[in-house]
Amino acid sequence: MDAIIVLDMQVGLLNGAPKHDLQGVVRRINLLTAMVRERSGKVIWIRHCGKPGDGFERDAEGWSFLPELDRHTDDAVIEKTLNDPFVRTGLHSTLAQIAPDRVIVTGWATDSCVDSTVRSAISSDHHVVVASDAHTVSDRPHMDAAAVIRHHHRVWSNLLTNRSVRIVTAGQLLHEAAS
């Protein structure tokens, strides 16, 4: 059984610079969450709760999940205040209860919350799969978004782990599930 973590796909991410292939990422996240549910897995939505006035403040417009996302009432929602959703949240215990064979990671932002989640999931001894085309970021001053994403795929592929780290497309995951 899989658990899929969807990071910070909230209305507030629409503010600021455009996000790389955001509509494609949303579409692929919806396909992957449907796949996980169909296979009796668990969908875990991570919601960032920001400080007053920062656009992700609790109950502010930016705090809401993107309306295009296909969320179900039996999905888990875990709120975080830091980049890493494993810190001071119920994510560890939720994953311990689920005991997934692997943890699929998607969402926003590649070089921050997605990166922290991948590293913490590995450190927590989970098999990790990064859906390579189901996370996003905006251009950075020193690097365009596509380069940021490619860089992190290379870094994650070379992390030391007792389990495994796979970087595959959403299409590959969907194909494997259909086989």
Side-chain angles (χ1 to χ4, degrees), residues 19-44:
K19 307 318 181 256
H20 178 76
D21 188 26
L22 181 59
Q23 292 311 309
V25 167
V26 167
R27 184 175 36 80
R28 288 183 285 276
I29 286 172
N30 283 337
L31 291 169
L32 290 172
T33 56
M35 175 200 76
V36 168
R37 286 185 202 100
E38 287 169 10
R39 300 180 73 207
S40 300
K42 190 67 174 176
V43 177
I44 303 169

Side-chain angles (χ1 to χ4, degrees), residues 17-20 108 111 136-148:
K19 307 318 181 256
H20 178 76
W108 179 65
D111 59 350
T136 188
V137 69
S138 55
D139 290 346
R140 299 307 192 209
H142 65 292
M143 195 180 301
D144 69 26
V148 172

Side-chain angles (χ1 to χ4, degrees), residues 2 4 7 14 19 24 38 43 54 71-72 80 90-91 93 110 114 119 125 130 144 147 155 159 161 169 176 178:
D2 293 331
I4 183 168
L7 289 147
L14 299 174
K19 307 318 181 256
E38 287 169 10
V43 177
D54 79 353
R71 294 182 47 248
H72 291 197
K80 69 176 182 63
L91 185 54
S93 60
T110 301
V114 174
R119 291 169 184 267
D125 212 27
V130 178
D144 69 26
V155 168
L159 291 174
T161 175
T169 66
E176 290 170 7

Side-chain angles (χ1 to χ4, degrees), residues 28 105 130-135 149 153 156 167-170 172-173:
R28 288 183 285 276
V105 180
V130 178
S132 63
D133 53 358
H135 61 92
I149 291 168
H153 290 168
W156 297 331
I167 315 297
V168 296
T169 66
Q172 289 172 288
L173 289 169

